[in-house]
Amino acid sequence: MDNPILWILFAVVAILCVVMLFVAGKSARNREQRMKAFYQKANRQQALYQKYQNARPEEMKNDAPEDVIEGLAVAAQRKIEDAPSADEAFVLLPLSLQYAYAAYYFFEDSEEKLSAFFRKNGEPLLHTAVDCICGACPDCAVWVRNCYDMLDENNEHVSVEEEKLDEWSRQFAALRKTELQEQVKQFILRQMRAEQTGT
């Protein structure tokens, strides 16, 4: 191989092979991490479902709020997942399970920003989440209700203002999530007690 062009081509091919191996290895690691996270979440949710599917409010009052909310949300999901219409099945659930299901997705999606939850979801989940969060935490009701009203496609009286949405999202993000989750948990448990006693 006295021809320098052949050496250059050989070097380019070798570099491309190394790059492709690196990219393939990184892709495989990422895929493995995603699968591991998926199975961890599935196992967690199965354990929470087993724990909370028939639990009474007094059995949950001292449990971590994120566990209670997610466990009840999974129980709600299991009840509606095979229904011909998930929305119709959802509104037939006890209100406590509707609240838990809506709260779970509210906390998941608002992790990015408050307005993200309202952009990613639709009714009846949205108004159920608003009722739950505002009922549990009157201090944050103004931001949650304002976001809901502004991003409601059927509300012709309010136009979308991104600056306001960002400001409400910042104010909401300043709340301590664990405290809000505890307030939501207690709100859901109060609703469960009311359902049990028929009050």
Side-chain angles (χ1 to χ4, degrees), residues 1 4 26 56 58 60 66 86 99 104-105 126 151 159 163 173 183:
M1 288 190 13
K26 186 174 180 182
R56 296 187 305 278
E58 58 270 19
M60 297 183 268
E66 63 272 17
Y99 284 157
Y104 173 74
Y105 284 101
L126 290 178
L151 294 173
S159 57
E163 299 82 9
Q183 290 173 299

Side-chain angles (χ1 to χ4, degrees), residues 96-120:
S96 57
L97 289 184
Q98 291 183 43
Y99 284 157
Y101 187 84
Y104 173 74
Y105 284 101
F106 176 84
F107 285 118
E108 283 274 300
D109 294 341
S110 65
E111 189 71 32
E112 176 186 342
K113 62 166 42 177
L114 177 61
S115 58
F117 169 75
F118 296 101
R119 286 190 156 121
K120 290 181 180 180

Side-chain angles (χ1 to χ4, degrees), residues 150-174:
M150 187 170 282
L151 294 173
D152 181 1
E153 295 176 355
N154 298 316
N155 188 344
E156 298 174 0
H157 305 292
V158 181
S159 57
V160 175
E161 297 180 49
E162 293 297 333
E163 299 82 9
K164 286 186 177 180
L165 289 171
D166 289 342
E167 178 59 26
W168 296 330
S169 291
R170 278 193 298 276
Q171 291 171 331
F172 179 79

Side-chain angles (χ1 to χ4, degrees), residues 11-23:
V12 168
V13 169
I15 290 169
L16 286 175
C17 286
V18 170
V19 169
M20 287 174 61
L21 285 171
F22 176 77
V23 169

Side-chain angles (χ1 to χ4, degrees), residues 141-197:
V142 64
W143 309 315
V144 174
R145 286 203 187 280
N146 283 344
C147 271
Y148 175 64
D149 290 341
M150 187 170 282
L151 294 173
D152 181 1
E153 295 176 355
N154 298 316
N155 188 344
E156 298 174 0
H157 305 292
V158 181
S159 57
V160 175
E161 297 180 49
E162 293 297 333
E163 299 82 9
K164 286 186 177 180
L165 289 171
D166 289 342
E167 178 59 26
W168 296 330
S169 291
R170 278 193 298 276
Q171 291 171 331
F172 179 79
L175 292 173
R176 293 190 60 182
K177 183 179 175 184
T178 53
E179 289 180 8
L180 178 56
Q181 286 177 320
E182 180 62 31
Q183 290 173 299
V184 168
K185 181 192 88 170
Q186 295 301 336
F187 182 77
I188 292 168
L189 296 185
R190 285 195 297 274
Q191 179 61 37
M192 289 183 80
R193 290 186 197 100
E195 289 163 0
Q196 290 176 351
T197 60

Side-chain angles (χ1 to χ4, degrees), residues 52-94:
Y52 293 115
Q53 64 176 325
N54 296 311
R56 296 187 305 278
E58 58 270 19
E59 296 171 328
M60 297 183 268
K61 65 180 182 180
N62 296 320
D63 288 357
E66 63 272 17
D67 289 351
V68 172
I69 293 167
E70 187 172 0
L72 293 175
V74 174
Q77 176 64 38
R78 297 280 176 96
K79 290 178 182 291
I80 67 175
E81 61 190 0
D82 294 325
S85 169
D87 287 346
E88 289 177 15
F90 176 78
V91 298
L92 295 175
L93 290 172

